[in-house]
């Protein structure tokens, strides 16, 4: 079956501002593990973040726009951090790549090969 646009005049175009949501959020089932408030926060951050995934929205602004109490916002943020979807250091949010990170970036153990590679002696 060939797909056809329902409203060709309403075809989405990339706006001058950079904003998008990675399809892997759904395809890799990240969204299935999130609460509604966490999904809302992630969507909002995705739409306001710059091309590096950074945003400086305050808790007050986020709470007002997403209609979340401070505790609910903090819980949603913690959920996204735990899910490895965002990094947060007040007042800065960073949307993280959905690419799998090596264990060493998560504070895991280094293999001898990795140690030597970091020292410049590995191949």
């Amino acid at each position: 079956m060939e797909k056809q646009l329902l409203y060709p005049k309403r075809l989405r175009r990339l706006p001058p501002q950079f904003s998008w949501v990675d399809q892997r959020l759904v395809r890799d089932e990240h969204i299935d593990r999130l609460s509604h408030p966490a999904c809302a926060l992630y969507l909002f951050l995705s739409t306001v973040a710059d091309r590096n995934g950074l945003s400086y929205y305050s808790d007050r602004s986020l709470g007002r726009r997403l209609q979340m109490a401070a505790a609910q916002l903090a819980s949603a943020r913690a959920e996204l951090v735990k899910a490895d979807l965002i990094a947060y250091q007040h007042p800065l949010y960073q949307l993280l790549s959905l690419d799998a990170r090596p264990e060493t970036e998560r504070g895991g153990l280094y293999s001898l090969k990795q140690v030597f590679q970091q020292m410049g002696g590995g191949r």
Side-chain angles (χ1 to χ4, degrees):
M1 181 175 175
E2 186 177 322
K3 294 181 185 177
Q4 294 183 5
L5 295 173
L6 300 176
Y7 296 96
K9 292 181 180 180
R10 298 282 312 272
L11 177 65
R12 288 182 66 185
R13 289 174 174 70
L14 186 62
Q17 309 86 7
F18 181 84
S19 179
W20 58 277
V21 176
D22 192 324
Q23 292 178 355
R24 291 176 293 178
L25 188 66
V26 174
R27 189 178 65 230
D28 295 347
E29 300 178 352
H30 296 284
I31 201 166
D32 297 344
R33 298 182 283 272
L34 299 173
S35 66
H36 287 117
C39 287
L41 178 57
Y42 189 85
L43 176 61
F44 186 86
L45 293 172
S46 295
T47 59
V48 300
D50 67 12
R51 66 186 176 108
N52 295 317
L54 301 175
S55 174
Y56 286 97
Y57 267 77
S58 70
D59 285 358
R60 178 178 280 179
S61 292
L62 286 169
R64 187 179 71 249
R65 288 180 176 255
L66 297 174
Q67 298 178 9
M68 287 187 202
Q72 189 177 31
L73 177 61
S75 177
R77 179 175 47 238
E79 189 177 337
L80 292 173
V81 168
K82 183 176 181 184
D84 203 30
L85 295 173
I86 67 167
Y88 177 73
Q89 186 173 29
H90 181 77
L92 181 65
Y93 287 88
Q94 179 186 348
L95 294 170
L96 300 175
S97 168
L98 296 182
D99 296 329
R101 293 185 313 162
E103 269 305 307
T104 55
E105 287 186 25
R106 293 185 211 139
L109 298 175
Y110 288 86
S111 70
L112 283 176
K113 179 180 178 181
Q114 291 168 319
V115 170
F116 286 123
Q117 283 176 334
Q118 288 184 356
M119 293 171 55
R123 294 177 193 178

